[in-house]
Amino acid sequence: MIKQTSVFVRLGEQSYEIEIGIGNLASIGSPIQKLNPSKLFLIYDENVVMHFQVVQELLCEIISEVHSHKVASGEASKCIGVANELWDFLSRHQADRNSMVVAIGGGVVGDLAGFVAATYARGVPFFQIPTTLLSHVDSSVGGKTGVNLPSAKNMVGAFWQPAGVLIDTQTLSTLEDREYVSGLAEVIKYGLIMDEPFFEKLEANVAGLKHRDADLLVDVIAHCCRLKANVVEEDEKETLGRRAILNYGHTFAHAFESVLGYGTYLHGEAVAVGMLCAGSLAKKMGRVNQAFCDRQEELVRKVGLPVKVDRTDIQPLIDVMKRDKKNVSNRIRFILPTGIGSVELVDAPIKKELIESVFNEFFE
Ligand code: GLY
C-alpha cells in the first residue's frame, strides 16, 4: 500500500490540509478540484520542470484555463522585480479572486508566489506543491510569504495561508545532495526546540535520513509539519512570542547569509551553524552545558551539515542581527536553548564581546 498521511492546520477559516505521501503528485487533481478554482496560475522553479509538467497535464484535464510562468532558480528570484513580473502575468490573463495560484518548487518559489497571491487583487487563493525538504517542513506550514530586500531577508511580505498543500516525497529523489542535506537542518531544529524524543529518533536514524528512506521521510516530514502547525495554531502572526521559537539559529544564520552572500551557504547550512552558535551563546550564559552543545553538533555533523562558516568581519554580521524582525527597541533578541527539546526567547542585553567570541568559535 502507498504510504500517505495528512496534517490538518487548524486556523479557523484559514484552516487547510497538508497531504503527504510517496508518489501522490499523481492525485493532485483531487485537492484542487475540491477547491474549485475558475483559473489556475502555475508558478514553478526552472529546476522542477519535470514535476511541473506532470502537474500541468493533470490539472489541464480538470480546469479549462491553466496558465504557467517559470521562475529562475535561486534566492535572487525572491525580489520585488520578479514579483512585479508575476503580478503582470496574473493581470494579463485576468486573474481574479476565483483564480488560484499554484506554487511548484522550493521555499523561494513558495514564498514568492505566496506573496504575489497575497497581494494581487488584495489576495487570491494559493496552493503549494513544495519540492524540497526545506520547503516540506518549513514554508509549507504557516503562511509566511515575502521577498527579500538587498539589506534584509524576508523583509517585505504578508501572512497568507495556503488553501492546501501537497507533499510528494518522491520529489526529493531528484534533489541535489547538498540541497537535501540543507533541509535536514530544519528537521533537526524541530527536535531541538520542542521534541526531545523526536531528536532521539533522528539520532537513531541518521543512515535512513542520509539515504532518503521513503517511509522514514513521510513520518519525519509529517511530524515536522504537525510540530510547526502546533506552534502556528497558537501564534499565527508571531505576536505572542511562541512562533519566534521556530527561528532558533536563524538570527545568526540570516547574518551569515546576508554578509557572506545569499547562496554561498544554503539556508539550512547557515541555520545549522546558526544553531551551534546559539547553543554556544547559551552555554556561555550558563543556560546549557557542554554536553548539550556536543550532542547538537554531533547530529549536525553526522547528517553532513557544516559546523563552521568562512571567516569574515564580525561588525557587519552584528549590524545584520540588529535589523532582525524579532528585535524590539534595538536590542538583538535570541532564541536560546535550555536543553534538548526546549528553547526560550531571550531579550536581556547580551555583551557584544560574548557574541564576538561565539562568532570566532565558528569561523573556519
Ligand atoms: N520559518 C519560521 C516561521 O514560519 O515562522
Side-chain angles (χ1 to χ4, degrees):
M1 207 182 85
I2 292 178
K3 191 159 175 151
Q4 195 145 345
T5 185
S6 69
V7 170
F8 188 70
V9 186
R10 205 171 296 279
L11 291 168
E13 285 182 5
Q14 273 76 50
S15 297
Y16 64 96
E17 187 99 36
I18 304 173
E19 292 181 16
I20 305 147
I22 306 170
N24 57 342
L25 201 58
S27 57
I28 182 65
S30 157
I32 298 282
Q33 207 153 25
K34 271 191 220 145
L35 295 163
N36 195 26
S38 58
K39 297 181 191 181
L40 288 176
F41 292 84
L42 311 186
I43 297 177
Y44 66 100
D45 185 300
E46 64 180 350
N47 268 349
V48 298
V49 173
M50 217 170 69
H51 306 313
F52 156 71
Q53 283 168 342
V54 171
V55 170
Q56 187 193 37
E57 201 167 305
L58 291 165
L59 294 182
C60 280
E61 283 171 17
I62 55 163
I63 306 287
S64 56
E65 218 181 307
V66 179
H67 302 281
S68 319
H69 195 290
K70 185 164 71 180
V71 170
S73 286
E75 194 72 29
S77 287
K78 215 172 115 177
C79 65
I80 212 72
V82 178
N84 203 21
E85 271 174 36
L86 293 171
W87 287 318
D88 188 53
F89 160 61
L90 295 182
S91 168
R92 269 186 283 118
H93 298 288
Q94 283 122 35
D96 60 28
R97 289 186 190 147
N98 295 320
S99 306
M100 180 174 282
V101 170
V102 180
I104 310 160
V108 167
V109 161
D111 287 7
L112 173 70
F115 175 63
V116 166
T119 46
Y120 185 83
R122 298 201 178 86
V124 297
F126 165 56
F127 192 96
Q128 263 185 291
I129 304 175
T131 58
T132 62
L133 182 58
L134 195 87
S135 57
H136 288 170
V137 299
D138 184 24
S139 44
S140 63
V141 193
K144 275 194 181 171
T145 71
V147 293
N148 300 325
L149 294 182
S151 59
K153 210 174 141 105
N154 296 327
M155 193 46 95
V156 177
F159 287 99
W160 191 243
Q161 301 300 338
V165 178
L166 183 140
I167 296 175
D168 181 349
T169 59
Q170 272 182 358
T171 57
L172 299 179
S173 59
T174 51
L175 201 62
E176 246 182 61
D177 212 45
R178 189 174 162 204
E179 194 75 54
Y180 169 78
V181 170
S182 160
L184 290 174
E186 294 280 355
V187 172
I188 293 172
K189 179 194 79 178
Y190 287 108
L192 287 166
I193 64 172
M194 61 195 300
D195 192 339
E196 185 169 13
F198 181 59
F199 187 84
E200 284 163 4
K201 175 175 171 160
L202 299 176
E203 288 179 315
N205 285 282
V206 168
L209 289 171
K210 288 186 83 164
H211 296 127
R212 311 186 194 191
D213 179 286
D215 280 353
L216 175 69
L217 281 175
V218 170
D219 290 341
V220 163
I221 292 166
H223 194 75
C224 292
C225 288
R226 184 65 260 158
L227 290 175
K228 181 162 181 186
N230 291 345
V231 174
V232 170
E233 284 164 2
E234 266 179 61
D235 183 17
E236 184 188 351
K237 302 271 168 73
E238 206 166 325
T239 49
L240 308 175
R242 181 70 182 149
R243 185 162 178 170
I245 68 165
L246 298 169
N247 289 322
Y248 178 53
H250 285 58
T251 308
F252 287 100
H254 286 168
F256 293 139
E257 287 178 285
S258 175
V259 172
L260 296 166
Y262 293 129
T264 305
Y265 291 95
L266 299 179
H267 179 63
E269 294 172 340
V271 168
V273 183
M275 293 191 297
L276 304 187
C277 291
S280 162
L281 180 59
K283 191 193 77 187
K284 290 178 200 292
M285 293 167 73
R287 305 172 70 90
V288 289
N289 55 21
Q290 185 61 43
F292 168 90
C293 295
D294 292 346
R295 204 170 153 198
Q296 174 177 244
E297 181 166 330
E298 195 181 341
L299 184 56
V300 164
R301 192 192 296 276
K302 273 188 175 164
V303 300
L305 284 161
V307 294
K308 292 200 186 262
V309 293
D310 291 338
R311 181 166 288 281
T312 187
D313 288 342
I314 290 178
Q315 191 54 48
L317 294 168
I318 293 183
D319 291 343
V320 174
M321 289 165 109
K322 284 190 175 153
R323 289 197 295 269
D324 193 281
K325 292 190 291 308
K326 287 191 300 301
N327 297 344
V328 175
S329 312
N330 260 344
R331 192 182 282 167
I332 303 174
R333 295 170 110 198
F334 289 97
I335 309 299
L336 297 182
T338 52
I340 303 282
S342 141
V343 287
E344 282 175 356
L345 176 65
V346 175
D347 65 0
I350 297 173
K351 284 208 171 69
K352 191 176 163 204
E353 299 75 58
L354 209 56
I355 299 174
E356 282 171 350
S357 73
V358 169
F359 276 127
N360 278 317
E361 210 182 312
F362 292 95
F363 287 146
E364 296 276 10

